[in-house]
Amino acid sequence: MQRFDQDPTDPGFVQDPYPFYEALRAGGDLVWWQDYAKPCAVSHRAVHALLRDRRFGREIPAEHVRAHPRHLADFYAVEAHSMLELEPPRHTRLRGLVLRAFTSRRIAALAPEIATLCDDLIDAFPDGPFDLLPAYCQQVPVIVICRLLGVPEAMAPQLLAWSNAMVAMYQARRDRAIEDAAARAAAAFSDFLRGYVDARRAHPADDLITHLIAAEEAGEKLSTDELITTCILLLNAGHEATVHSLGNGIRLLLSSGRTVTPDSAEAVTEEILRFDPPLHMFTRYAYEDVTLFGHAFRRGDEVALLLAAANRDPAIWPDPQKFDPGRGQTASTSFGAGLHFCVGAPLARLEMQIALPALFARCPDLRLAGTPRFANLYHFHGLDRLEVAR
């Protein structure tokens, strides 16, 4: 297995990680990333296979579990109930109950409301140059989540702050200050949602919290802690992905002189998600000794799946380094696959397919007002600012 060195916080890598991924793919299906001290799947076939292989999963094997530091107790109290970090049978139970409330029909019914929200946000754009991320890309998903959960939209900035603090735990730049902020955010977010869950148990409403409370399968229901974690997961994972996808996508469209219409929105969305996805790395643990792609895994070994590297594999996409919404191919790994395929993928896609054409229809002269810069967020990938003018 070839070994590679690359600091994921290096400014050059942050701005453009794709040359490094190309070098990794030239090394084979699996390579060793020295800075992470773990093997990485980099080809489409390897990432695709490992996402679906039940000999690998998200939950750490019991004999490899280590006690968490005391200062992170509040953060990991939330993570303990996250279906993203669990495997069957707990994962099966949680995901089944969540999908009974978070249905495709309920998501599709949000389309008119999302369209109105986009128009309202565009109406509020300032006349001069401005940063499109807080004015539009952040607002669409966070307000939609507020409305879904049934919490006041005035809480959106606070929910966003808690979310940003918590997801920073998964970034390469993580340090003690980030850990302390994440623990505080987890505790405050949990306390806030606990009050809402208690209120909805007493007074049901037509919102996602109420539907999650009511979800039942074979006599099983979500506990209050599971409800709280699920709501936090839906905001943190869904918001982070959609903000970066919208920002990255608008940058691509403006840089390439392309536009997007309602008719082309689906194809454009899929190519954005392939070409410059919001999440670049997802990890798995081996549950048994197994040899794959020439590497002998031992139970408890961790492997990184480089989704963004897989999405530019020339074995799947001709000229993969080219942004081409006309491809008509949707084999990207951006939302994962298998048991942990993103439950929020339909909502993220819907938001993008509405928000992108709405923006370009209402702002036909939209242009970049500066050079977009990516933020130091790896293993996420998103912009720090997106200055535009119209």
Side-chain angles (χ1 to χ4, degrees):
M1 183 184 299
Q2 290 194 34
R3 292 175 176 260
F4 294 84
D5 292 290
Q6 176 60 65
D7 179 358
T9 66
D10 175 77
F13 176 82
V14 168
Q15 295 309 310
D16 186 6
Y18 293 102
F20 177 63
Y21 295 157
E22 194 166 358
L24 296 184
R25 280 195 312 272
D29 296 296
L30 290 177
V31 298
W32 187 269
W33 192 340
Q34 195 70 32
D35 302 75
Y36 280 100
K38 66 184 66 168
C40 298
V42 295
S43 67
H44 186 274
R45 74 168 190 151
V47 170
H48 184 272
L50 285 163
L51 282 170
R52 290 165 172 79
D53 195 325
R54 295 304 306 134
R55 294 171 295 183
F56 293 80
R58 289 285 296 169
E59 197 166 358
I60 305 174
E63 69 273 20
H64 291 274
V65 173
R66 299 290 181 267
H68 297 300
R70 291 183 61 184
H71 70 281
L72 289 174
D74 288 328
F75 178 83
Y76 285 108
V78 172
E79 292 288 282
H81 303 287
S82 172
M83 60 183 169
L84 184 62
E85 308 298 336
L86 299 172
E87 292 297 313
R90 279 197 71 193
H91 174 271
T92 305
R93 170 180 165 273
L94 279 173
R95 188 178 179 102
L97 288 168
V98 169
L99 289 177
R100 283 179 173 267
F102 200 53
T103 63
S104 57
R105 182 167 59 182
R106 182 165 287 124
I107 292 168
L110 293 169
E113 190 172 347
I114 295 173
T116 299
L117 169 62
C118 291
D119 277 335
D120 291 344
L121 291 170
I122 293 168
D123 286 341
F125 285 173
D127 292 330
F130 65 101
D131 185 354
L132 196 63
L133 293 184
Y136 195 65
C137 301
Q138 291 175 357
Q139 296 303 313
V140 172
V142 76
I143 290 175
V144 169
I145 286 290
C146 282
R147 293 177 180 178
L148 264 175
L149 295 178
V151 304
E153 289 180 32
M155 283 296 298
Q158 182 60 75
L159 297 182
L160 186 59
W162 286 332
S163 174
N164 288 339
M166 292 184 71
V167 300
M169 285 286 286
Y170 301 103
Q171 296 168 9
R173 66 187 182 95
R174 170 177 164 177
D175 57 18
R176 177 58 188 261
I178 284 175
E179 291 179 349
D180 288 342
R184 290 193 298 270
F189 206 164
S190 296
D191 288 345
F192 169 75
L193 284 172
R194 194 175 303 277
Y196 262 85
V197 169
D198 291 343
R200 287 296 178 261
R201 287 193 191 278
H203 304 286
D206 186 18
D207 56 41
L208 186 58
I209 290 179
T210 299
H211 292 298
L212 286 168
I213 290 170
E216 183 173 358
E217 185 173 9
E220 291 280 350
K221 289 198 170 190
L222 294 169
S223 69
T224 297
D225 287 339
E226 289 169 342
L227 275 164
I228 289 169
T229 294
T230 297
C231 292
I232 291 175
L233 175 63
L234 290 173
L235 175 68
N236 290 1
H239 171 265
E240 193 78 9
T242 307
V243 172
H244 296 330
S245 296
L246 284 172
N248 295 355
I250 294 165
R251 180 192 72 89
L252 284 169
L253 291 165
L254 294 178
S255 299
S256 63
R258 295 177 179 270
T259 189
V260 54
T261 67
D263 289 339
S264 66
E266 182 177 354
V268 170
T269 293
E270 294 307 316
E271 178 66 352
I272 289 168
L273 291 169
R274 179 200 73 83
F275 188 82
D276 206 14
L279 177 65
H280 280 208
M281 179 191 288
F282 203 44
T283 56
R284 290 284 195 275
Y285 292 96
Y287 290 153
E288 60 184 76
D289 295 351
V290 57
T291 298
L292 284 176
F293 303 106
H295 179 69
F297 289 95
R298 297 290 176 258
R299 177 175 165 85
D301 285 353
E302 191 175 20
V303 57
L305 314 183
L306 298 191
L307 309 179
N311 283 354
R312 294 200 186 185
D313 189 335
I316 304 297
W317 292 277
D319 198 7
Q321 309 295 343
K322 179 182 178 182
F323 176 63
D324 180 11
R327 291 179 185 277
Q329 294 171 286
T330 57
S332 80
T333 62
S334 299
F335 286 120
L339 282 182
H340 289 287
F341 180 77
C342 177
V343 297
L347 178 58
R349 283 185 163 117
L350 181 66
E351 289 171 341
M352 291 180 68
Q353 290 168 15
I354 294 172
L356 289 171
L359 177 67
F360 281 81
R362 293 284 310 279
C363 304
D365 297 323
L366 193 71
R367 64 190 186 278
L368 294 174
T371 302
R373 300 285 297 175
F374 287 93
N376 181 15
L377 305 173
Y378 199 82
H379 50 88
F380 299 105
H381 186 64
L383 295 168
D384 180 48
R385 295 180 64 83
L386 183 56
E387 291 287 337
V388 296
R390 58 194 179 112

